[in-house]
Amino acid sequence: MIHTRNLTKAYRNGFSRTFVLRQVDLDIDEGEFVTIQGPSGAGKTTLLHILGLLDAPTDGSYEFMGEPVYEMSENRRTEIHRSQIGFVFQAYHLIDDLTVYENLETPLIYKGLSGPERESKVADMLDRFSLVAKQDLFPNQLSGGQQQLVGVARALIIEPTVILADEPTGNLQSQQSEEIMETMTRLNETDDVTIVQVTHSEKLARYGERIVELDDGWVEDDYQIDQPEAVKTGH
């Protein structure tokens, strides 16, 4: 599904260049749950943004679902970003002056769905995440956990093939973090959604099945991890 070779990101600073990613080779199969870890400044978020077509590398290649991303037209990249990639941000990125319902409906409008189709999908997500009673509230009327649930629901409503999650539970309490991670685990196991998450938490990293460690822009390690039943079920 995701295939990069020699992916490099650098910024020019006078006569020198500052490297954020260095020759990253990464292969992620459909249905995997992968965690990207590393210290601050390792390049984790930059890599996630490139995979999500929010940024472009300085050098290297990237194939998404077998298509070379940088040979696509701008319209094709936009179509993939809107229809196949769900982003979950640490800072939520909800639209402040839209209600919960409207925040969930917005990506469906971009996708071109009809009014009845949008209404059906939003109702399903509100019910799935127990947000029906909150649908007319604005983001600043919600708790952090509720805002993050809306963010997850918004990422899922387009029925993406991959979810890219950047510290998805970084601002939440432990119980809320576990609830959101269990939701993503169910999506991965039941709906075969590919998940790539960035997290500093060793505990949350183990919800996945593989860890990619970045340091100073390099891939330092890439390995499978054991899956204790207690982590996968949340018990």
Side-chain angles (χ1 to χ4, degrees), residues 1 4 19 35 55 73 76 85 110 130 151 162 164 176 179 181 193 207 209-210 212 214 231 235:
M1 166 177 267
T4 77
F19 285 88
T35 298
D55 198 357
S73 67
R76 177 60 178 152
I85 299 173
Y110 286 138
S130 301
V162 59
L164 303 176
Q176 294 171 324
E179 289 173 357
M181 292 309 300
V193 176
Y207 278 86
E209 59 200 1
R210 177 179 159 205
V212 176
L214 288 183
V231 171
H235 300 301

Side-chain angles (χ1 to χ4, degrees), residues 148-178:
Q148 193 61 298
L149 280 177
V150 176
V152 173
R154 182 186 58 186
L156 298 181
I157 201 165
I158 62 169
E159 299 178 355
T161 55
V162 59
I163 293 175
L164 303 176
D166 190 2
E167 295 283 2
T169 66
N171 296 322
L172 306 182
Q173 298 174 356
S174 177
Q175 181 179 349
Q176 294 171 324
S177 295
E178 291 176 7

Side-chain angles (χ1 to χ4, degrees), residues 50-70:
I50 290 174
L51 298 183
L53 310 184
L54 295 175
D55 198 357
T58 309
D59 201 4
S61 63
Y62 172 26
E63 289 186 5
F64 182 84
M65 300 291 285
E67 290 188 70
V69 169
Y70 302 109

Side-chain angles (χ1 to χ4, degrees), residues 199-217:
T199 182
H200 283 94
S201 167
E202 293 293 336
K203 180 179 180 181
L204 299 184
R206 300 193 72 81
Y207 278 86
E209 59 200 1
R210 177 179 159 205
I211 291 179
V212 176
E213 293 185 355
L214 288 183
D215 192 11
D216 196 27

Side-chain angles (χ1 to χ4, degrees), residues 14-110:
F15 293 105
S16 63
R17 290 202 299 172
T18 300
F19 285 88
V20 182
L21 294 173
R22 306 170 189 259
Q23 300 175 12
V24 172
D25 293 347
L26 185 63
D27 294 291
I28 297 175
D29 293 332
E30 193 167 355
E32 278 197 278
F33 191 147
V34 178
T35 298
I36 300 173
Q37 288 194 300
S40 296
K44 304 182 299 296
T45 295
T46 298
L47 177 58
L48 210 63
H49 282 190
I50 290 174
L51 298 183
L53 310 184
L54 295 175
D55 198 357
T58 309
D59 201 4
S61 63
Y62 172 26
E63 289 186 5
F64 182 84
M65 300 291 285
E67 290 188 70
V69 169
Y70 302 109
E71 294 178 16
M72 297 176 186
S73 67
E74 184 66 31
N75 286 343
R76 177 60 178 152
R77 286 198 295 271
T78 299
E79 177 189 349
I80 288 175
H81 174 73
R82 289 180 174 175
S83 64
Q84 297 193 53
I85 299 173
F87 246 106
V88 181
F89 300 94
Q90 179 179 3
Y92 317 132
H93 286 209
L94 301 179
I95 302 172
D96 291 338
D97 57 354
L98 297 184
T99 64
V100 167
Y101 187 102
E102 291 165 339
N103 266 281
L104 295 181
E105 185 182 32
T106 297
L108 301 179
I109 294 173
Y110 286 138

